[in-house]
Amino acid sequence: MKTLLITGFEPFGGEQINPSWEAVDRLPIEINGYELVKLRIPVVFGEAAASVIKVADEIRPDVILCIGQAGGRGAITPELVGINLRNASIPDNNGYQPKDESIIKGGECAYFSTLPVRRIADAISDAGMPSHVSYSAGAYVCNDVLYTLLSRYKNTETRIGFIHIPYCAEQNKEPFMDINDMVKGLIVAIENLDT
Ligand code: PCA
């Protein structure tokens, strides 16, 4: 059995819930030969990635897949790239609001995800949920996690990916997606982690 470390975020930006954790929490614990280890992580620059790495050091997962909310998007969007930039339009949950900072000073500008993002997006679409590859995870905490993990696990066997999902119905925002469809989409993603 392989191990998948899968994360969702706590709420942020005045929301009561974060659909990323709601969806991760609803996933079965075994999919496609992967045992899932679920982790709820803080919306805090630096700390979010550190909390993932701490658990990954213990359990040594084959894949780390992080899920985040992308308000304004209407589709499930696997991220192709993480960039070495922090720029926040709202403070994180620790009150920190960086403007045009590096995540890792002197680090590479960007890294590509080491998951088959095109295949994952196509498979989710084929299963009936809107999905497409995204070429920017933004410059907030989600990108912070993706870039930091890609840097930490470069040239290792551990593969890294990030998927943004829309608001869910309970948040009363548009556009939104039914949480059950997001769960279905994530299951399809996990079924397509291996090329
Ligand atoms: N979305 C934010 C951070 C936490 C989350 O769920 C983002 O896109 O950066």
Side-chain angles (χ1 to χ4, degrees):
M1 183 80 77
K2 291 171 283 187
T3 304
L4 168 64
L5 176 55
I6 186 160
T7 73
F9 282 98
E10 66 184 8
F12 71 106
E15 296 291 327
Q16 297 303 311
I17 57 171
N18 190 320
S20 66
W21 175 249
E22 299 301 318
V24 167
D25 195 34
R26 286 167 170 76
L27 287 169
I29 53 164
E30 201 185 305
I31 302 170
N32 185 34
Y34 283 90
E35 183 193 347
L36 275 64
V37 176
K38 303 174 184 180
L39 183 66
R40 188 174 184 265
I41 62 174
V43 182
V44 176
F45 283 100
E47 244 181 65
S51 65
V52 180
I53 290 168
K54 184 166 178 280
V55 173
D57 279 347
E58 287 162 22
I59 66 168
R60 308 213 160 263
D62 299 279
V63 177
I64 305 175
L65 178 59
C66 303
I67 315 299
Q69 162 194 304
R73 289 191 194 171
I76 298 171
T77 48
E79 298 291 348
L80 181 68
V81 61
I83 61 173
N84 190 10
L85 179 71
R86 288 177 169 171
N87 191 55
S89 57
I90 56 168
D92 71 11
N93 284 355
N94 250 358
Y96 182 51
Q97 189 172 5
K99 294 283 177 194
D100 294 327
E101 277 180 21
S102 299
I103 299 171
I104 298 176
K105 284 193 183 52
E108 294 288 331
C109 295
Y111 293 105
F112 287 126
S113 171
T114 41
L115 293 185
V117 289
R118 180 80 53 199
R119 175 194 162 113
I120 290 170
D122 287 349
I124 296 171
S125 301
D126 289 348
M129 274 70 66
S131 182
H132 59 82
V133 174
S134 163
Y135 304 110
S136 173
Y140 195 53
V141 178
C142 290
N143 174 72
D144 208 69
V145 170
L146 178 58
Y147 177 86
T148 304
L149 294 179
L150 286 169
S151 169
R152 170 70 178 72
Y153 294 100
K154 75 178 171 201
N155 303 324
T156 74
E157 301 276 284
T158 309
R159 293 180 300 136
I160 307 297
F162 196 102
I163 299 179
H164 265 123
I165 57 175
Y167 291 126
C168 62
E170 291 72 16
Q171 292 171 286
N172 293 315
K173 298 243 170 91
E174 300 266 354
F176 69 89
M177 190 181 282
D178 189 304
I179 195 81
N180 295 313
D181 286 339
M182 305 207 226
V183 172
K184 274 190 225 160
L186 294 182
I187 291 171
V188 173
I190 296 164
E191 288 168 348
N192 284 275
L193 291 177
D194 302 301
T195 43

